[in-house]
């Protein structure tokens, strides 16, 4: 992430959609250079945004250049043909706009937020860096320091950062989801200008991007502006399908991370699940709500409130272009042995596997997702993020408007089926971070 | 379509890229009522999505905690542990089942109970919220559980220096002043809280004449008014008055440096600053513009020097943190342990140059455009509209003062900005907080002022730092 904040290792998608917005309100357009554009007019505030989703992330890297996608994201702000280093930001901010960007395992997303009368300036800035990015040696080195600081501050302030890195690298033996988005430190210190140029030539082709514009704009004026400034940027694009497929896991894996100063044991349990566009996505997502969203959720109620074995608990349905992980994060109560926390966790999973969930639990999860959808659609930024996520990860932006129906269709039998399909011991990796290793 | 949307839709007719000037952005009109018991009610219509956000505020905050830091916050959190007619389980099941987002927030001056709900489910939510506030039971077994969990979370907070640094800085600045009491308390004082403390605190402060209920979103004002009367009408008026923090803050005699020793740190986290200004003071819009160019945006002076040019850090910012009767100003950044003093030297030198030399017209113009351009999205959600309405009430500010935001930005001249930099930003006698590894950092920080090195565990107590 360019600004202060945390690197996203997987997407958090708030769901469904607003009664006020329908599929027909979204205008879809393809530029001749292959870039797909989605436009949604929304005049609730005199502002607009532009979210550009590039289909490149750490899954496209190789050993030796881990973290390059994210570093590249930083370099997109550091100079292009008509805008020397620093002037991208000074120009945008003087026009009342601000920006940010984030990199995940799968995508790199650039976000501009601006008063709508500045649209033309924003397109000019975006077109220049997409068409003719330049790499200044001094900037590469100072930005390397910035990224090392970004990596370091994640580790300094969040114990999960270290544990999840180790768990992911254990759960994935072959697939590039194995390494952290930020990259391994020696790679950050070693990559070169040639690596960056190669990345630009390979992945930063307009045909490899989806652009979403939401706000107080005239869609036909938006298209005209993009046709003038971005459409001429055209290069042949071959596509770069990933070769590696993660082999099936055939037995539980276990890793320890020792941190003598930690106050509570941390437990992470990760199960392999399919890619986000798989039919089981909606059932898995509702399962994550049933398990840990709110004080009456299964795991919170049992482990945190009743048994007092845990201080915090979370369940996360990882959404990837390739098969990802469904992860549980449990902060155990102070002074407890990790094995005690794990045993209590296993008991809950065992009960779920044996009995499934109730109709009411499922209905509650559906309600939560539906209201969550409205909250996601409250802002122009929420709308742009959702449209882009559905377009890139969930089979097309149209599916955003189908989401309530998809969630509604999930039955308690579906939940039971996904539980028995994915939540097996042989399919999981357990990571424990604690003061010392238990015998 | 509500009136905000109408105004903006009309505005949009005259808009095209880069041509015409646009109308000043304003908040939706707020309807203000009150009940016979003195409770204020604010309606903020906005019907873009079928949701409602409610904020019930009590004009007392952590500044009323006395020696028991965390008393206000734990009392607010414990409201949902059970009431006269709803058990804890019933409350939690109902909130979760209808997808209601519920939370309490304790500020130094006031406390809020907030919930976001689908409009159709508001009649289910309001009776529960009313009972939580009017007739909570504070069952002692549940209070004990909540207290123990809160203590654990507070202790765990030390694992994230960035999360605690601003609160620690404020303790350092306020010393024995009531604003030193951190909003969520500290482990040592929360550990002492008993159900009886909460019962007494609630009885003394949770009264309608110092409360305000804001409803923002898509709702029928007539129906909601009836619901409010039914559920809050019987709430008995009492003698409580809003918390007024009037004690003066003692000025610093010389620059102080506190190094909080965290033995496993590999970076140093900083907060540097001093006296700020009260919330919504007469210069707040202008100070917002000036702070934006110092440390409130990516191309700010501080971020440019510490991140963009030197690569010492991922980010450097500055901010005013404002309370009712006073406030703080501080710079925040962090760097690897080995570049600690280079970063601190550069931060101080950059800040000194700013306060001594001021700014130029081009930078000021850019900051004004930026602040105006980024203003409307800040009030796009029901939660932010509801919270803002509450804050204006708590600080006694009129909506008109707020709605002139853009014209106040426009009116700021370079001379006035440079005069404000000289008069409103702390110049010397600063508080410097460092959280890092003392065995490597040593005593070099003595060159900045009086240095104290204290183990980080001390933040778990309410003792002066």
């Amino acid at each position: 992430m360019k600004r202060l904040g945390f690197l996203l290792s997987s997407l958090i998608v708030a769901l469904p959609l607003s009664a006020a917005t329908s599929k027909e309100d979204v205008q879809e357009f393809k530029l001749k250079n292959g870039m797909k554009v989605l436009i949604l007019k929304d005049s609730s505030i005199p502002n607009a945004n532009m979210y550009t989703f590039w289909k490149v992330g750490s899954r496209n890297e190789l050993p030796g250049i881990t973290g390059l996608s994210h570093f590249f994201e930083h370099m997109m702000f550091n100079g292009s043909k008509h805008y020397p280093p620093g002037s991208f930001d000074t120009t945008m901010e003087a026009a009342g706009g601000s920006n940010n960007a984030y990199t995940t395992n799968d995508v790199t997303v650039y976000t501009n937020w601006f008063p709508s009368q500045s649209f033309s300036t924003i397109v000019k800035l975006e077109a220049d860096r997409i068409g003719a990015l330049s790499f200044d040696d001094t900037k590469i080195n100072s930005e390397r320091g910035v990224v090392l600081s970004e990596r370091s501050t994640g580790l300094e302030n969040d114990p999960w950062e270290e544990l999840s890195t180790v768990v992911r690298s254990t759960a994935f033996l072959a697939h590039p989801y194995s390494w952290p988005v930020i990259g391994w430190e020696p790679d950050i210190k070693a990559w070169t200008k040639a690596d960056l140029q190669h990345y630009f030539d390979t992945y930063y082709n307009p045909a490899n991007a989806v652009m979403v514009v939401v706000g107080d704009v005239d869609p036909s004026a938006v298209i005209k502006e993009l046709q003038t400034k971005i459409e001429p940027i055209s290069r042949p694009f071959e596509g770069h399908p990933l070769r590696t497929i993660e082999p099936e896991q055939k037995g539980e894996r276990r890793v320890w991370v020792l941190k003598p100063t930690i106050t509570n044991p941390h437990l992470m349990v990760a199960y392999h699940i399919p890619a986000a566009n798989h039919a089981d996505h909606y059932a898995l997502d509702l399962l994550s709500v049933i398990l840990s969203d709110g004080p009456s959720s299964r795991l919170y109620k049992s482990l945190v409130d009743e048994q007092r074995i845990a201080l915090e608990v979370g369940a996360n349905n990882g959404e990837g272009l390739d098969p990802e992980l469904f992860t549980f994060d449990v902060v155990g109560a102070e002074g407890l042995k990790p094995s005690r926390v794990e045993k209590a966790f296993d008991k809950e999973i065992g009960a779920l596997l044996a009995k499934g969930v109730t109709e009411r639990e499922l209905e509650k999860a559906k309600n939560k997702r539906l209201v969550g959808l409205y909250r996601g659609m409250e802002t122009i930024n929420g709308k742009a993020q959702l449209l882009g996520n559905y377009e890139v990860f969930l089979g097309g932006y149209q599916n955003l408007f189908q989401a309530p129906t998809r969630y509604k269709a999930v039955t308690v039998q579906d939940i039971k089926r996904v539980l028995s399909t994915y939540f097996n011991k042989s399919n999981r990796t357990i990571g424990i971070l604690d003061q010392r290793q238990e015998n | 379509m509500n009136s905000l949307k109408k105004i903006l839709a009309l505005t949009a007719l005259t808009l095209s890229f880069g041509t015409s000037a646009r109308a000043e952005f304003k908040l939706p009109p707020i309807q203000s009522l009150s009940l016979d018991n003195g409770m204020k009610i604010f309606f903020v219509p906005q019907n873009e999505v079928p949701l409602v956000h409610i904020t019930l505020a009590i004009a007392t905050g952590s500044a009323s905690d006395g020696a028991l830091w965390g008393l206000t916050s734990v009392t607010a959190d414990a409201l949902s542990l059970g009431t006269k007619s709803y058990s804890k389980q019933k409350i939690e099941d109902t909130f979760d089942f209808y997808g209601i987002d519920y939370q309490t927030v304790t500020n130094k001056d006031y406390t809020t109970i907030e919930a976001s709900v689908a409009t159709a489910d508001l009649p289910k939510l309001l009776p529960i919220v009313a009972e939580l506030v009017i007739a909570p039971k504070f069952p002692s077994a549940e209070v004990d559980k909540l207290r123990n969990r809160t203590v654990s979370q507070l202790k765990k907070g030390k694992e994230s220096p960035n999360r605690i640094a601003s609160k620690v800085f404020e303790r350092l600045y306020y010393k024995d002043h009531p604003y030193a009491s951190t909003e969520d308390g500290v482990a040592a004082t929360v550990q002492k809280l008993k159900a009886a403390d909460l019962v007494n605190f609630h009885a003394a402060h949770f009264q309608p004449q110092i409360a305000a209920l804001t409803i923002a979103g898509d709702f029928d004002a007539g129906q909601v008014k009836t619901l409010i009367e039914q559920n809050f009408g019987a709430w008995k008026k009492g003698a409580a008055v809003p918390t007024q923090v009037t004690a003066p803050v003692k000025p610093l005699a010389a620059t102080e440096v506190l190094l909080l020793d965290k033995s496993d740190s590999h970076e140093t986290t900083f907060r540097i600053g001093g006296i700020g200004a009260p919330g919504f003071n007469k210069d707040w819009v202008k100070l917002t513009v000036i702070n934006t160019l110092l440390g409130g945006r990516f191309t700010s002076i501080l971020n440019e020097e510490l991140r963009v040019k030197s690569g010492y850090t991922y980010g450097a910012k500055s901010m005013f943190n404002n309370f009712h009767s006073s406030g703080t100003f501080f710079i925040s950044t962090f760097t690897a342990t080995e570049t600690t003093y280079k970063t601190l030297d550069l931060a101080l030198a950059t800040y000194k140059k700013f306060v001594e030399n001021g700014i130029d017209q081009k930078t000021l113009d850019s900051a004004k455009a930026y602040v105006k351009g980024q203003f409307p999205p800040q009030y796009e959600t029901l939660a932010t509209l509801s919270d803002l309405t509450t804050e204006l009430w708590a600080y006694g500010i009129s909506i008109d003062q707020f709605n002139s935001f853009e014209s106040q930005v426009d009116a700021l001249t370079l001379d006035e900005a440079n005069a404000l930099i000289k008069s409103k930003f702390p110049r010397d006698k600063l508080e410097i907080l460092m959280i890092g590894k003392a065995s490597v950092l040593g005593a070099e920080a003595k060159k900045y002022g009086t240095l104290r090195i204290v183990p980080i565990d001390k933040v778990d107590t309410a003792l002066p730092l």
Side-chain angles (χ1 to χ4, degrees), chain B residues 370-390:
Chain B
Y370 180 86
V371 167
K372 286 198 292 178
Q374 299 298 310
F375 184 62
Q378 289 178 48
Y379 301 101
E380 206 183 352
T381 68
L382 301 179
T384 51
L385 282 173
S386 188
D387 289 349
L388 172 70
T389 306
T390 303

PDB file of all heavy atoms in Angstrom, chain B residues 370-390:
ATOM      1  N   TYR B 370      -7.127  20.971  -2.066  1.00  0.00           N
ATOM      2  CA  TYR B 370      -7.156  19.594  -1.583  1.00  0.00           C
ATOM      3  C   TYR B 370      -8.199  19.420  -0.482  1.00  0.00           C
ATOM      4  O   TYR B 370      -9.025  18.502  -0.512  1.00  0.00           O
ATOM      5  CB  TYR B 370      -5.766  19.226  -1.060  1.00  0.00           C
ATOM      6  CG  TYR B 370      -5.649  17.816  -0.533  1.00  0.00           C
ATOM      7  CD1 TYR B 370      -5.359  16.759  -1.388  1.00  0.00           C
ATOM      8  CD2 TYR B 370      -5.799  17.541   0.823  1.00  0.00           C
ATOM      9  CE1 TYR B 370      -5.243  15.463  -0.916  1.00  0.00           C
ATOM     10  CE2 TYR B 370      -5.690  16.256   1.311  1.00  0.00           C
ATOM     11  CZ  TYR B 370      -5.407  15.229   0.443  1.00  0.00           C
ATOM     12  OH  TYR B 370      -5.290  13.945   0.922  1.00  0.00           O
ATOM     13  N   VAL B 371      -8.168  20.332   0.489  1.00  0.00           N
ATOM     14  CA  VAL B 371      -9.093  20.225   1.619  1.00  0.00           C
ATOM     15  C   VAL B 371     -10.543  20.322   1.152  1.00  0.00           C
ATOM     16  O   VAL B 371     -11.414  19.558   1.583  1.00  0.00           O
ATOM     17  CB  VAL B 371      -8.761  21.309   2.675  1.00  0.00           C
ATOM     18  CG1 VAL B 371      -9.872  21.446   3.685  1.00  0.00           C
ATOM     19  CG2 VAL B 371      -7.452  20.970   3.383  1.00  0.00           C
ATOM     20  N   LYS B 372     -10.789  21.223   0.211  1.00  0.00           N
ATOM     21  CA  LYS B 372     -12.170  21.355  -0.311  1.00  0.00           C
ATOM     22  C   LYS B 372     -12.584  20.121  -1.107  1.00  0.00           C
ATOM     23  O   LYS B 372     -13.702  19.633  -0.990  1.00  0.00           O
ATOM     24  CB  LYS B 372     -12.284  22.615  -1.186  1.00  0.00           C
ATOM     25  CG  LYS B 372     -12.309  23.898  -0.373  1.00  0.00           C
ATOM     26  CD  LYS B 372     -12.851  25.068  -1.177  1.00  0.00           C
ATOM     27  CE  LYS B 372     -11.902  25.454  -2.296  1.00  0.00           C
ATOM     28  NZ  LYS B 372     -12.445  26.547  -3.116  1.00  0.00           N
ATOM     29  N   GLY B 373     -11.662  19.631  -1.919  1.00  0.00           N
ATOM     30  CA  GLY B 373     -11.979  18.471  -2.764  1.00  0.00           C
ATOM     31  C   GLY B 373     -12.234  17.208  -1.966  1.00  0.00           C
ATOM     32  O   GLY B 373     -13.015  16.344  -2.364  1.00  0.00           O
ATOM     33  N   GLN B 374     -11.566  17.094  -0.812  1.00  0.00           N
ATOM     34  CA  GLN B 374     -11.695  15.877  -0.010  1.00  0.00           C
ATOM     35  C   GLN B 374     -12.775  16.001   1.068  1.00  0.00           C
ATOM     36  O   GLN B 374     -12.987  15.077   1.848  1.00  0.00           O
ATOM     37  CB  GLN B 374     -10.348  15.538   0.653  1.00  0.00           C
ATOM     38  CG  GLN B 374      -9.214  15.285  -0.335  1.00  0.00           C
ATOM     39  CD  GLN B 374      -9.495  14.102  -1.237  1.00  0.00           C
ATOM     40  OE1 GLN B 374      -9.844  13.025  -0.770  1.00  0.00           O
ATOM     41  NE2 GLN B 374      -9.368  14.287  -2.541  1.00  0.00           N
ATOM     42  N   PHE B 375     -13.448  17.146   1.114  1.00  0.00           N
ATOM     43  CA  PHE B 375     -14.431  17.388   2.175  1.00  0.00           C
ATOM     44  C   PHE B 375     -15.729  16.577   2.008  1.00  0.00           C
ATOM     45  O   PHE B 375     -16.129  15.861   2.947  1.00  0.00           O
ATOM     46  CB  PHE B 375     -14.715  18.898   2.245  1.00  0.00           C
ATOM     47  CG  PHE B 375     -15.631  19.327   3.348  1.00  0.00           C
ATOM     48  CD1 PHE B 375     -15.289  19.118   4.673  1.00  0.00           C
ATOM     49  CD2 PHE B 375     -16.839  19.943   3.066  1.00  0.00           C
ATOM     50  CE1 PHE B 375     -16.131  19.518   5.690  1.00  0.00           C
ATOM     51  CE2 PHE B 375     -17.690  20.346   4.069  1.00  0.00           C
ATOM     52  CZ  PHE B 375     -17.339  20.137   5.391  1.00  0.00           C
ATOM     53  N   PRO B 376     -16.403  16.625   0.853  1.00  0.00           N
ATOM     54  CA  PRO B 376     -17.711  15.933   0.764  1.00  0.00           C
ATOM     55  C   PRO B 376     -17.664  14.433   1.100  1.00  0.00           C
ATOM     56  O   PRO B 376     -18.567  13.951   1.801  1.00  0.00           O
ATOM     57  CB  PRO B 376     -18.149  16.182  -0.689  1.00  0.00           C
ATOM     58  CG  PRO B 376     -17.439  17.432  -1.100  1.00  0.00           C
ATOM     59  CD  PRO B 376     -16.109  17.371  -0.397  1.00  0.00           C
ATOM     60  N   PRO B 377     -16.664  13.670   0.641  1.00  0.00           N
ATOM     61  CA  PRO B 377     -16.697  12.229   0.947  1.00  0.00           C
ATOM     62  C   PRO B 377     -16.614  11.913   2.438  1.00  0.00           C
ATOM     63  O   PRO B 377     -16.979  10.822   2.862  1.00  0.00           O
ATOM     64  CB  PRO B 377     -15.468  11.675   0.212  1.00  0.00           C
ATOM     65  CG  PRO B 377     -15.131  12.684  -0.820  1.00  0.00           C
ATOM     66  CD  PRO B 377     -15.546  14.000  -0.246  1.00  0.00           C
ATOM     67  N   GLN B 378     -16.129  12.890   3.226  1.00  0.00           N
ATOM     68  CA  GLN B 378     -16.030  12.614   4.670  1.00  0.00           C
ATOM     69  C   GLN B 378     -17.403  12.495   5.326  1.00  0.00           C
ATOM     70  O   GLN B 378     -17.525  11.960   6.419  1.00  0.00           O
ATOM     71  CB  GLN B 378     -15.282  13.751   5.369  1.00  0.00           C
ATOM     72  CG  GLN B 378     -13.816  13.794   5.048  1.00  0.00           C
ATOM     73  CD  GLN B 378     -13.161  14.976   5.732  1.00  0.00           C
ATOM     74  OE1 GLN B 378     -13.356  15.202   6.912  1.00  0.00           O
ATOM     75  NE2 GLN B 378     -12.398  15.744   4.976  1.00  0.00           N
ATOM     76  N   TYR B 379     -18.429  13.060   4.668  1.00  0.00           N
ATOM     77  CA  TYR B 379     -19.758  13.034   5.276  1.00  0.00           C
ATOM     78  C   TYR B 379     -20.747  12.308   4.369  1.00  0.00           C
ATOM     79  O   TYR B 379     -21.901  12.685   4.229  1.00  0.00           O
ATOM     80  CB  TYR B 379     -20.188  14.470   5.631  1.00  0.00           C
ATOM     81  CG  TYR B 379     -19.199  15.055   6.582  1.00  0.00           C
ATOM     82  CD1 TYR B 379     -18.218  15.944   6.154  1.00  0.00           C
ATOM     83  CD2 TYR B 379     -19.149  14.596   7.894  1.00  0.00           C
ATOM     84  CE1 TYR B 379     -17.237  16.399   7.019  1.00  0.00           C
ATOM     85  CE2 TYR B 379     -18.176  15.045   8.765  1.00  0.00           C
ATOM     86  CZ  TYR B 379     -17.226  15.943   8.331  1.00  0.00           C
ATOM     87  OH  TYR B 379     -16.261  16.371   9.193  1.00  0.00           O
ATOM     88  N   GLU B 380     -20.270  11.245   3.758  1.00  0.00           N
ATOM     89  CA  GLU B 380     -21.077  10.495   2.799  1.00  0.00           C
ATOM     90  C   GLU B 380     -21.869   9.376   3.462  1.00  0.00           C
ATOM     91  O   GLU B 380     -22.893   8.945   2.938  1.00  0.00           O
ATOM     92  CB  GLU B 380     -20.118   9.903   1.751  1.00  0.00           C
ATOM     93  CG  GLU B 380     -20.744   9.642   0.413  1.00  0.00           C
ATOM     94  CD  GLU B 380     -19.747   8.992  -0.542  1.00  0.00           C
ATOM     95  OE1 GLU B 380     -18.556   8.892  -0.192  1.00  0.00           O
ATOM     96  OE2 GLU B 380     -20.176   8.573  -1.621  1.00  0.00           O
ATOM     97  N   THR B 381     -21.404   8.886   4.613  1.00  0.00           N
ATOM     98  CA  THR B 381     -22.110   7.761   5.229  1.00  0.00           C
ATOM     99  C   THR B 381     -23.027   8.235   6.356  1.00  0.00           C
ATOM    100  O   THR B 381     -22.831   9.310   6.934  1.00  0.00           O
ATOM    101  CB  THR B 381     -21.134   6.729   5.833  1.00  0.00           C
ATOM    102  OG1 THR B 381     -20.484   7.329   6.950  1.00  0.00           O
ATOM    103  CG2 THR B 381     -20.093   6.285   4.813  1.00  0.00           C
ATOM    104  N   LEU B 382     -24.005   7.407   6.660  1.00  0.00           N
ATOM    105  CA  LEU B 382     -24.926   7.729   7.755  1.00  0.00           C
ATOM    106  C   LEU B 382     -24.164   7.793   9.071  1.00  0.00           C
ATOM    107  O   LEU B 382     -24.459   8.622   9.931  1.00  0.00           O
ATOM    108  CB  LEU B 382     -26.027   6.675   7.820  1.00  0.00           C
ATOM    109  CG  LEU B 382     -26.863   6.539   6.537  1.00  0.00           C
ATOM    110  CD1 LEU B 382     -27.911   5.440   6.712  1.00  0.00           C
ATOM    111  CD2 LEU B 382     -27.524   7.851   6.166  1.00  0.00           C
ATOM    112  N   ALA B 383     -23.169   6.935   9.228  1.00  0.00           N
ATOM    113  CA  ALA B 383     -22.393   6.926  10.479  1.00  0.00           C
ATOM    114  C   ALA B 383     -21.657   8.250  10.656  1.00  0.00           C
ATOM    115  O   ALA B 383     -21.673   8.843  11.740  1.00  0.00           O
ATOM    116  CB  ALA B 383     -21.408   5.763  10.476  1.00  0.00           C
ATOM    117  N   THR B 384     -21.022   8.740   9.588  1.00  0.00           N
ATOM    118  CA  THR B 384     -20.260   9.985   9.750  1.00  0.00           C
ATOM    119  C   THR B 384     -21.195  11.177   9.937  1.00  0.00           C
ATOM    120  O   THR B 384     -20.888  12.095  10.709  1.00  0.00           O
ATOM    121  CB  THR B 384     -19.295  10.233   8.574  1.00  0.00           C
ATOM    122  OG1 THR B 384     -20.005  10.111   7.341  1.00  0.00           O
ATOM    123  CG2 THR B 384     -18.141   9.268   8.588  1.00  0.00           C
ATOM    124  N   LEU B 385     -22.364  11.175   9.271  1.00  0.00           N
ATOM    125  CA  LEU B 385     -23.328  12.273   9.465  1.00  0.00           C
ATOM    126  C   LEU B 385     -23.852  12.272  10.899  1.00  0.00           C
ATOM    127  O   LEU B 385     -23.976  13.320  11.538  1.00  0.00           O
ATOM    128  CB  LEU B 385     -24.515  12.107   8.504  1.00  0.00           C
ATOM    129  CG  LEU B 385     -24.285  12.520   7.052  1.00  0.00           C
ATOM    130  CD1 LEU B 385     -25.498  12.115   6.206  1.00  0.00           C
ATOM    131  CD2 LEU B 385     -24.033  14.011   6.931  1.00  0.00           C
ATOM    132  N   SER B 386     -24.150  11.084  11.392  1.00  0.00           N
ATOM    133  CA  SER B 386     -24.693  10.960  12.740  1.00  0.00           C
ATOM    134  C   SER B 386     -23.645  11.359  13.785  1.00  0.00           C
ATOM    135  O   SER B 386     -23.944  12.092  14.735  1.00  0.00           O
ATOM    136  CB  SER B 386     -25.137   9.505  12.936  1.00  0.00           C
ATOM    137  OG  SER B 386     -25.821   9.361  14.135  1.00  0.00           O
ATOM    138  N   ASP B 387     -22.423  10.913  13.585  1.00  0.00           N
ATOM    139  CA  ASP B 387     -21.353  11.254  14.527  1.00  0.00           C
ATOM    140  C   ASP B 387     -21.053  12.746  14.517  1.00  0.00           C
ATOM    141  O   ASP B 387     -20.803  13.348  15.560  1.00  0.00           O
ATOM    142  CB  ASP B 387     -20.080  10.464  14.194  1.00  0.00           C
ATOM    143  CG  ASP B 387     -20.237   8.992  14.529  1.00  0.00           C
ATOM    144  OD1 ASP B 387     -21.234   8.633  15.199  1.00  0.00           O
ATOM    145  OD2 ASP B 387     -19.385   8.191  14.116  1.00  0.00           O
ATOM    146  N   LEU B 388     -21.068  13.338  13.334  1.00  0.00           N
ATOM    147  CA  LEU B 388     -20.798  14.775  13.251  1.00  0.00           C
ATOM    148  C   LEU B 388     -21.887  15.569  13.977  1.00  0.00           C
ATOM    149  O   LEU B 388     -21.596  16.490  14.746  1.00  0.00           O
ATOM    150  CB  LEU B 388     -20.713  15.216  11.785  1.00  0.00           C
ATOM    151  CG  LEU B 388     -20.623  16.733  11.613  1.00  0.00           C
ATOM    152  CD1 LEU B 388     -19.269  17.247  12.088  1.00  0.00           C
ATOM    153  CD2 LEU B 388     -20.865  17.136  10.176  1.00  0.00           C
ATOM    154  N   THR B 389     -23.146  15.192  13.750  1.00  0.00           N
ATOM    155  CA  THR B 389     -24.257  15.886  14.405  1.00  0.00           C
ATOM    156  C   THR B 389     -24.083  15.819  15.922  1.00  0.00           C
ATOM    157  O   THR B 389     -24.288  16.803  16.643  1.00  0.00           O
ATOM    158  CB  THR B 389     -25.587  15.229  13.986  1.00  0.00           C
ATOM    159  OG1 THR B 389     -25.644  15.200  12.570  1.00  0.00           O
ATOM    160  CG2 THR B 389     -26.775  16.004  14.517  1.00  0.00           C
ATOM    161  N   THR B 390     -23.688  14.654  16.405  1.00  0.00           N
ATOM    162  CA  THR B 390     -23.464  14.457  17.835  1.00  0.00           C
ATOM    163  C   THR B 390     -22.321  15.338  18.344  1.00  0.00           C
ATOM    164  O   THR B 390     -22.419  15.971  19.395  1.00  0.00           O
ATOM    165  CB  THR B 390     -23.134  12.978  18.107  1.00  0.00           C
ATOM    166  OG1 THR B 390     -24.206  12.179  17.604  1.00  0.00           O
ATOM    167  CG2 THR B 390     -22.935  12.712  19.580  1.00  0.00           C
TER     168      THR B 390
END
